[in-house]
Every structure is written in C-alpha cells, then in structure tokens.
Amino acid sequence: MDIRPATVADLAAIDDIYHHYVLSSTCTFQVEPGTPQERAAWFAAHGGAHPVTVAVGGGDVVGWGSLSRFHPRAAYRFTVENSVYVRADRHRRGIGRALLVDLIERAARAGHHAILASITADQDASIALHRSLGFEPVARLREIGFKFGRWLDVVYLERILPA
C-alpha cells in the first residue's frame, strides 16, 4: 500500500468511500451524499498545508485522509482537523493507521501546532486509533448531532505537535 497526495482523478473513489458512511454510519453527520461539484470545491479548498491523501493498494484507492482548517479566524491558523476514511471492505488492515500517521507527519512539516479529531462518541475504533497515536480527549459535546433517529454525542481529541 502507498499513500500519496490525492488528485482530481481520485475524487470519485473518495466519494465512493465517503458516501458509504454517509448512508450507513454515524461517523459523519452528513446525511445525504454530496455532488461531484461539492467534492471538487472541497478538494480545491485543500492543498499545501491542508492536504488530501489517498491510500492505494492493488491499484485501487482503499482509503483517504485530509487535514482541514479548523476555523477561519486567523488565530486558529496553526490548528487543523483530520479526517480518515477506509473503504468498508478493507477495515482492520492498518490503512487508517497509516493514513493518520502520514497526516500527523504532514501536519508537523507544514508547521501546524495542534491536530483535532471530532469523532462521534459511538465510534470506538476511531477513538482508539487516535488515542493510540497520541491524541488525548479534551471535550465531549452532548447530543449535538441527530442521525438515524437518535441524538449523538461528539468527542474531541487533540494532539499537540512538537515545535
């Protein structure tokens, strides 16, 4: 498996992976699949210090990750939020870990100070993955999302990067 920067040609595969979770999981609070135009705009807003990466195995995109601006105000410019998604048929193979390790390294090289992970509280595997890589719980927001007929909590985990 290789991890590389995503290209426009990867956007359909990124959407295929993500839309599975939009329709079947609480790991994202998006409730309907987005359009190709929305994904293209999302991708255009990334790059440089806010990369999108893909994991490629056997010639296929099997996962993706991104670092996004946490907040538009200038004082937050050294803080990013990570996202990691793995194709549903490729779980438990180290893909998510490899993507997150790569994002941490990219964030450090880009000069970021903190990485946040906003994770639905029922996503035990994602929370465990982040904790295993040095993220610490810093907040729990109760019942802030509503999906599949129920209220959902979100936990925030943070990793401070070395200077």
Side-chain angles (χ1 to χ4, degrees):
M1 178 188 65
D2 293 313
I3 297 176
R4 62 166 172 76
T7 67
V8 170
D10 298 317
L11 296 183
I14 288 171
D15 261 349
D16 286 346
I17 292 167
Y18 186 65
H19 289 164
H20 165 80
Y21 295 104
V22 168
L23 296 171
S24 67
S25 176
T26 60
C27 70
T28 175
F29 280 7
Q30 188 166 333
V31 297
E32 293 182 12
T35 66
Q37 295 79 11
E38 290 169 329
R39 180 59 69 192
W42 168 85
F43 186 69
H46 285 77
H50 303 99
V52 177
T53 60
V54 290
V56 179
D60 295 326
V61 173
V62 295
W64 64 271
S66 66
L67 294 176
S68 300
R69 291 176 65 187
F70 169 66
H71 195 282
R73 298 205 191 258
Y76 293 104
R77 69 189 174 278
F78 299 109
T79 301
V80 290
E81 184 173 4
N82 81 76
S83 296
V84 172
Y85 289 89
V86 175
R87 207 168 78 185
D89 65 339
R90 297 294 181 98
H91 287 186
R92 301 271 183 217
R93 298 182 190 185
I95 297 167
R97 173 175 292 279
L99 283 162
L100 187 52
V101 166
D102 180 74
L103 288 174
I104 293 166
E105 292 169 356
R106 288 174 190 273
R109 285 194 306 268
H112 295 300
H113 178 69
I115 306 174
L116 295 175
S118 172
I119 304 172
T120 312
D122 67 356
Q123 297 296 314
D124 296 332
S126 184
I127 292 168
L129 170 62
H130 282 79
R131 291 196 69 169
S132 75
L133 292 173
F135 285 76
E136 298 179 5
V138 293
R140 183 182 189 109
L141 306 177
R142 297 187 61 230
E143 297 184 5
I144 64 164
F146 189 80
K147 189 171 182 181
F148 302 136
R150 62 188 175 112
W151 290 105
L152 300 162
D153 293 359
V154 170
V155 295
Y156 274 86
L157 292 92
E158 178 184 40
R159 177 168 168 164
I160 302 295
L161 298 169

